[in-house]
Amino acid sequence: MSMFENDQYRWRETYFVLFAAARRPKLKAVEKALLGLQCRFTLANATAAEKGAFEALTVLAPDDFAALDISYIEGEEVVEQAQSLVREMKAADLRPEDRQKIERMLKYDGRFDVLHFEQLTDPSAEEGDDEMLDPSTLLLVLQALA
């Protein structure tokens, strides 16, 4: 079940963590890393692919009024996205060492999609009513995934 199906949460943003698909972690390793971050997190909807490889997971953080749907994607879609990002970033005025880091993205063919949801305190609020969104859960999880 995706958090899109829960009317008490509103999607706010999607983030990507790119990496080589050969380094795809096992579901158990991701669960262990995330549960080691904060005891206030609850994990749900965990699914694994063949041989226990990570497929998807939901992180619930009620203290931060947040939830994250995390899913794994690999293949041509990821390669094309990485190529597009490299083209965009190369247009910027970068130092040579930063350009080298950006070039590494061309080798990436795996990705975590991290969808950030805000728990609504007032479900009747309009879509444009943006309260301050606490990014702490998101930042902790992104750091663990990286």
PDB file of all heavy atoms in Angstrom, residues 24-28 31 45-57 72:
ATOM      1  N   ARG A  24      22.912  -3.113  -5.115  1.00  0.00           N
ATOM      2  CA  ARG A  24      21.556  -3.146  -4.545  1.00  0.00           C
ATOM      3  C   ARG A  24      21.562  -3.926  -3.231  1.00  0.00           C
ATOM      4  O   ARG A  24      21.987  -5.081  -3.190  1.00  0.00           O
ATOM      5  CB  ARG A  24      20.607  -3.804  -5.534  1.00  0.00           C
ATOM      6  CG  ARG A  24      19.180  -3.905  -5.067  1.00  0.00           C
ATOM      7  CD  ARG A  24      18.364  -4.606  -6.120  1.00  0.00           C
ATOM      8  NE  ARG A  24      16.965  -4.690  -5.792  1.00  0.00           N
ATOM      9  CZ  ARG A  24      16.081  -5.296  -6.566  1.00  0.00           C
ATOM     10  NH1 ARG A  24      16.451  -5.857  -7.703  1.00  0.00           N
ATOM     11  NH2 ARG A  24      14.820  -5.336  -6.209  1.00  0.00           N
ATOM     12  N   PRO A  25      21.094  -3.300  -2.158  1.00  0.00           N
ATOM     13  CA  PRO A  25      21.150  -3.981  -0.860  1.00  0.00           C
ATOM     14  C   PRO A  25      20.017  -4.990  -0.675  1.00  0.00           C
ATOM     15  O   PRO A  25      19.012  -4.973  -1.381  1.00  0.00           O
ATOM     16  CB  PRO A  25      21.017  -2.834   0.138  1.00  0.00           C
ATOM     17  CG  PRO A  25      20.179  -1.828  -0.594  1.00  0.00           C
ATOM     18  CD  PRO A  25      20.587  -1.938  -2.040  1.00  0.00           C
ATOM     19  N   LYS A  26      20.198  -5.827   0.312  1.00  0.00           N
ATOM     20  CA  LYS A  26      19.140  -6.747   0.737  1.00  0.00           C
ATOM     21  C   LYS A  26      18.137  -5.965   1.569  1.00  0.00           C
ATOM     22  O   LYS A  26      18.484  -4.982   2.239  1.00  0.00           O
ATOM     23  CB  LYS A  26      19.715  -7.886   1.587  1.00  0.00           C
ATOM     24  CG  LYS A  26      20.766  -8.705   0.900  1.00  0.00           C
ATOM     25  CD  LYS A  26      20.151  -9.687  -0.034  1.00  0.00           C
ATOM     26  CE  LYS A  26      21.216 -10.630  -0.584  1.00  0.00           C
ATOM     27  NZ  LYS A  26      20.765 -11.343  -1.729  1.00  0.00           N
ATOM     28  N   LEU A  27      16.883  -6.396   1.556  1.00  0.00           N
ATOM     29  CA  LEU A  27      15.841  -5.752   2.346  1.00  0.00           C
ATOM     30  C   LEU A  27      16.223  -5.733   3.823  1.00  0.00           C
ATOM     31  O   LEU A  27      16.082  -4.713   4.497  1.00  0.00           O
ATOM     32  CB  LEU A  27      14.496  -6.456   2.152  1.00  0.00           C
ATOM     33  CG  LEU A  27      13.355  -5.980   3.050  1.00  0.00           C
ATOM     34  CD1 LEU A  27      13.027  -4.510   2.806  1.00  0.00           C
ATOM     35  CD2 LEU A  27      12.121  -6.845   2.857  1.00  0.00           C
ATOM     36  N   LYS A  28      16.723  -6.836   4.326  1.00  0.00           N
ATOM     37  CA  LYS A  28      17.084  -6.928   5.753  1.00  0.00           C
ATOM     38  C   LYS A  28      18.140  -5.880   6.121  1.00  0.00           C
ATOM     39  O   LYS A  28      18.090  -5.296   7.203  1.00  0.00           O
ATOM     40  CB  LYS A  28      17.583  -8.329   6.103  1.00  0.00           C
ATOM     41  CG  LYS A  28      16.526  -9.399   5.964  1.00  0.00           C
ATOM     42  CD  LYS A  28      15.469  -9.253   7.022  1.00  0.00           C
ATOM     43  CE  LYS A  28      14.436 -10.375   6.910  1.00  0.00           C
ATOM     44  NZ  LYS A  28      13.228 -10.092   7.631  1.00  0.00           N
ATOM     45  N   GLU A  31      16.392  -2.463   6.307  1.00  0.00           N
ATOM     46  CA  GLU A  31      15.588  -2.396   7.529  1.00  0.00           C
ATOM     47  C   GLU A  31      16.473  -2.176   8.752  1.00  0.00           C
ATOM     48  O   GLU A  31      16.166  -1.337   9.609  1.00  0.00           O
ATOM     49  CB  GLU A  31      14.770  -3.677   7.705  1.00  0.00           C
ATOM     50  CG  GLU A  31      13.638  -3.815   6.722  1.00  0.00           C
ATOM     51  CD  GLU A  31      12.916  -5.148   6.840  1.00  0.00           C
ATOM     52  OE1 GLU A  31      13.580  -6.177   7.084  1.00  0.00           O
ATOM     53  OE2 GLU A  31      11.686  -5.153   6.677  1.00  0.00           O
ATOM     54  N   ASN A  45       4.998  -2.326   4.949  1.00  0.00           N
ATOM     55  CA  ASN A  45       4.900  -2.649   3.522  1.00  0.00           C
ATOM     56  C   ASN A  45       6.233  -3.070   2.909  1.00  0.00           C
ATOM     57  O   ASN A  45       6.504  -2.770   1.754  1.00  0.00           O
ATOM     58  CB  ASN A  45       4.325  -1.459   2.740  1.00  0.00           C
ATOM     59  CG  ASN A  45       3.044  -0.946   3.316  1.00  0.00           C
ATOM     60  OD1 ASN A  45       2.205  -1.711   3.769  1.00  0.00           O
ATOM     61  ND2 ASN A  45       2.881   0.365   3.344  1.00  0.00           N
ATOM     62  N   ALA A  46       7.059  -3.746   3.665  1.00  0.00           N
ATOM     63  CA  ALA A  46       8.363  -4.175   3.161  1.00  0.00           C
ATOM     64  C   ALA A  46       8.199  -5.309   2.163  1.00  0.00           C
ATOM     65  O   ALA A  46       7.487  -6.275   2.421  1.00  0.00           O
ATOM     66  CB  ALA A  46       9.251  -4.617   4.321  1.00  0.00           C
ATOM     67  N   THR A  47       8.854  -5.170   1.027  1.00  0.00           N
ATOM     68  CA  THR A  47       8.836  -6.231   0.022  1.00  0.00           C
ATOM     69  C   THR A  47      10.254  -6.445  -0.498  1.00  0.00           C
ATOM     70  O   THR A  47      11.022  -5.502  -0.650  1.00  0.00           O
ATOM     71  CB  THR A  47       7.893  -5.918  -1.158  1.00  0.00           C
ATOM     72  OG1 THR A  47       8.274  -4.684  -1.752  1.00  0.00           O
ATOM     73  CG2 THR A  47       6.449  -5.834  -0.704  1.00  0.00           C
ATOM     74  N   ALA A  48      10.543  -7.699  -0.769  1.00  0.00           N
ATOM     75  CA  ALA A  48      11.847  -8.073  -1.301  1.00  0.00           C
ATOM     76  C   ALA A  48      11.657  -8.765  -2.643  1.00  0.00           C
ATOM     77  O   ALA A  48      10.639  -9.400  -2.888  1.00  0.00           O
ATOM     78  CB  ALA A  48      12.566  -9.001  -0.329  1.00  0.00           C
ATOM     79  N   ALA A  49      12.647  -8.637  -3.478  1.00  0.00           N
ATOM     80  CA  ALA A  49      12.667  -9.340  -4.759  1.00  0.00           C
ATOM     81  C   ALA A  49      13.354 -10.686  -4.537  1.00  0.00           C
ATOM     82  O   ALA A  49      13.557 -11.106  -3.404  1.00  0.00           O
ATOM     83  CB  ALA A  49      13.409  -8.499  -5.792  1.00  0.00           C
ATOM     84  N   GLU A  50      13.729 -11.304  -5.625  1.00  0.00           N
ATOM     85  CA  GLU A  50      14.451 -12.570  -5.559  1.00  0.00           C
ATOM     86  C   GLU A  50      15.658 -12.472  -4.648  1.00  0.00           C
ATOM     87  O   GLU A  50      16.338 -11.457  -4.625  1.00  0.00           O
ATOM     88  CB  GLU A  50      14.952 -12.936  -6.960  1.00  0.00           C
ATOM     89  CG  GLU A  50      14.118 -13.932  -7.674  1.00  0.00           C
ATOM     90  CD  GLU A  50      14.717 -14.224  -9.038  1.00  0.00           C
ATOM     91  OE1 GLU A  50      15.931 -14.471  -9.146  1.00  0.00           O
ATOM     92  OE2 GLU A  50      13.933 -14.201  -9.985  1.00  0.00           O
ATOM     93  N   LYS A  51      15.905 -13.503  -3.908  1.00  0.00           N
ATOM     94  CA  LYS A  51      17.085 -13.613  -3.041  1.00  0.00           C
ATOM     95  C   LYS A  51      17.162 -12.506  -1.997  1.00  0.00           C
ATOM     96  O   LYS A  51      18.236 -12.139  -1.553  1.00  0.00           O
ATOM     97  CB  LYS A  51      18.359 -13.658  -3.867  1.00  0.00           C
ATOM     98  CG  LYS A  51      18.402 -14.835  -4.826  1.00  0.00           C
ATOM     99  CD  LYS A  51      19.672 -14.871  -5.612  1.00  0.00           C
ATOM    100  CE  LYS A  51      19.617 -16.030  -6.602  1.00  0.00           C
ATOM    101  NZ  LYS A  51      20.774 -16.063  -7.464  1.00  0.00           N
ATOM    102  N   GLY A  52      16.022 -11.913  -1.638  1.00  0.00           N
ATOM    103  CA  GLY A  52      15.982 -10.944  -0.549  1.00  0.00           C
ATOM    104  C   GLY A  52      16.390  -9.525  -0.894  1.00  0.00           C
ATOM    105  O   GLY A  52      16.526  -8.681  -0.007  1.00  0.00           O
ATOM    106  N   ALA A  53      16.585  -9.226  -2.170  1.00  0.00           N
ATOM    107  CA  ALA A  53      16.988  -7.877  -2.573  1.00  0.00           C
ATOM    108  C   ALA A  53      15.876  -6.869  -2.279  1.00  0.00           C
ATOM    109  O   ALA A  53      14.690  -7.179  -2.404  1.00  0.00           O
ATOM    110  CB  ALA A  53      17.338  -7.846  -4.050  1.00  0.00           C
ATOM    111  N   PHE A  54      16.273  -5.668  -1.878  1.00  0.00           N
ATOM    112  CA  PHE A  54      15.314  -4.625  -1.541  1.00  0.00           C
ATOM    113  C   PHE A  54      14.439  -4.298  -2.741  1.00  0.00           C
ATOM    114  O   PHE A  54      14.911  -4.118  -3.847  1.00  0.00           O
ATOM    115  CB  PHE A  54      16.050  -3.350  -1.095  1.00  0.00           C
ATOM    116  CG  PHE A  54      15.116  -2.228  -0.749  1.00  0.00           C
ATOM    117  CD1 PHE A  54      14.635  -2.093   0.544  1.00  0.00           C
ATOM    118  CD2 PHE A  54      14.701  -1.319  -1.704  1.00  0.00           C
ATOM    119  CE1 PHE A  54      13.760  -1.061   0.873  1.00  0.00           C
ATOM    120  CE2 PHE A  54      13.821  -0.285  -1.383  1.00  0.00           C
ATOM    121  CZ  PHE A  54      13.356  -0.165  -0.099  1.00  0.00           C
ATOM    122  N   GLU A  55      13.135  -4.196  -2.490  1.00  0.00           N
ATOM    123  CA  GLU A  55      12.172  -3.810  -3.520  1.00  0.00           C
ATOM    124  C   GLU A  55      11.438  -2.534  -3.108  1.00  0.00           C
ATOM    125  O   GLU A  55      11.417  -1.566  -3.857  1.00  0.00           O
ATOM    126  CB  GLU A  55      11.179  -4.947  -3.748  1.00  0.00           C
ATOM    127  CG  GLU A  55      10.300  -4.772  -4.945  1.00  0.00           C
ATOM    128  CD  GLU A  55      11.052  -4.936  -6.264  1.00  0.00           C
ATOM    129  OE1 GLU A  55      11.995  -5.719  -6.347  1.00  0.00           O
ATOM    130  OE2 GLU A  55      10.668  -4.230  -7.218  1.00  0.00           O
ATOM    131  N   ALA A  56      10.828  -2.530  -1.904  1.00  0.00           N
ATOM    132  CA  ALA A  56      10.069  -1.359  -1.460  1.00  0.00           C
ATOM    133  C   ALA A  56       9.869  -1.412   0.045  1.00  0.00           C
ATOM    134  O   ALA A  56       9.946  -2.483   0.663  1.00  0.00           O
ATOM    135  CB  ALA A  56       8.713  -1.309  -2.165  1.00  0.00           C
ATOM    136  N   LEU A  57       9.571  -0.228   0.605  1.00  0.00           N
ATOM    137  CA  LEU A  57       9.407  -0.102   2.046  1.00  0.00           C
ATOM    138  C   LEU A  57       8.767   1.243   2.351  1.00  0.00           C
ATOM    139  O   LEU A  57       9.006   2.215   1.642  1.00  0.00           O
ATOM    140  CB  LEU A  57      10.790  -0.179   2.708  1.00  0.00           C
ATOM    141  CG  LEU A  57      10.909  -0.024   4.208  1.00  0.00           C
ATOM    142  CD1 LEU A  57      10.402  -1.285   4.897  1.00  0.00           C
ATOM    143  CD2 LEU A  57      12.368   0.194   4.566  1.00  0.00           C
ATOM    144  N   TYR A  72      12.718   0.631  -5.275  1.00  0.00           N
ATOM    145  CA  TYR A  72      13.919   0.425  -6.070  1.00  0.00           C
ATOM    146  C   TYR A  72      13.551   0.338  -7.539  1.00  0.00           C
ATOM    147  O   TYR A  72      12.595  -0.336  -7.924  1.00  0.00           O
ATOM    148  CB  TYR A  72      14.627  -0.863  -5.634  1.00  0.00           C
ATOM    149  CG  TYR A  72      15.805  -1.194  -6.499  1.00  0.00           C
ATOM    150  CD1 TYR A  72      17.004  -0.513  -6.343  1.00  0.00           C
ATOM    151  CD2 TYR A  72      15.725  -2.176  -7.479  1.00  0.00           C
ATOM    152  CE1 TYR A  72      18.096  -0.803  -7.147  1.00  0.00           C
ATOM    153  CE2 TYR A  72      16.805  -2.477  -8.274  1.00  0.00           C
ATOM    154  CZ  TYR A  72      17.985  -1.787  -8.117  1.00  0.00           C
ATOM    155  OH  TYR A  72      19.052  -2.074  -8.921  1.00  0.00           O
TER     156      TYR A  72
END
